[in-house]
Every structure is written in structure tokens, then in C-alpha cells.
Amino acid sequence: MNCKSCASKIEKAIDTMNNVSGVVDFVTRTAKVTIDSPEVSINDVVHKIESLGYQAVAK
């Protein structure tokens, strides 16, 4: 992720997930994700980001 457009694309994809919200910071190349359901895992979010062609690592 190298620009605001990339960050926005990732953020929008995260926000399409049920019970998930996120804020992406392209400067630090990080995202803060909130998952409000036990049915969704961080691995689901990582997969969603990777499906866009970006690398993602859960910390």
C-alpha cells in the first residue's frame, strides 16, 4: 500500500464485511480493525485484504 487510494480501497473492503470495521493508515502501512462477532476471525480479514493483492499480517 503506497498511497491514500490504496488505503481507501482496503478500508472499503474491510467495511463491506459484516460486523467488521477498520481504519487504514497508509503512512504507517497499518490497519486497526474491530471485529464485533465471534463468527468473523482476523484470518477472514487478512484473507479479504490479500484478495485485493496486498500483504496482510495479523498482530
Side-chain angles (χ1 to χ4, degrees):
M1 158 178 54
N2 297 317
C3 63
K4 286 184 181 181
S5 178
C6 296
S8 178
K9 184 177 179 181
I10 294 169
E11 198 168 282
K12 286 178 183 175
I14 291 169
D15 287 342
T16 64
M17 299 178 73
N18 290 331
N19 301 306
V20 179
S21 61
V23 177
V24 179
D25 184 339
F26 83 96
V27 174
T28 62
R29 302 176 111 187
T30 61
K32 181 174 181 178
V33 177
T34 302
I35 301 171
D36 292 325
S37 171
E39 296 175 8
V40 180
S41 73
I42 191 63
N43 290 331
D44 295 327
V45 178
V46 167
H47 178 71
K48 183 72 161 187
I49 294 168
E50 289 178 340
S51 75
L52 299 172
Y54 301 98
Q55 289 183 321
V57 178
K59 292 185 176 182

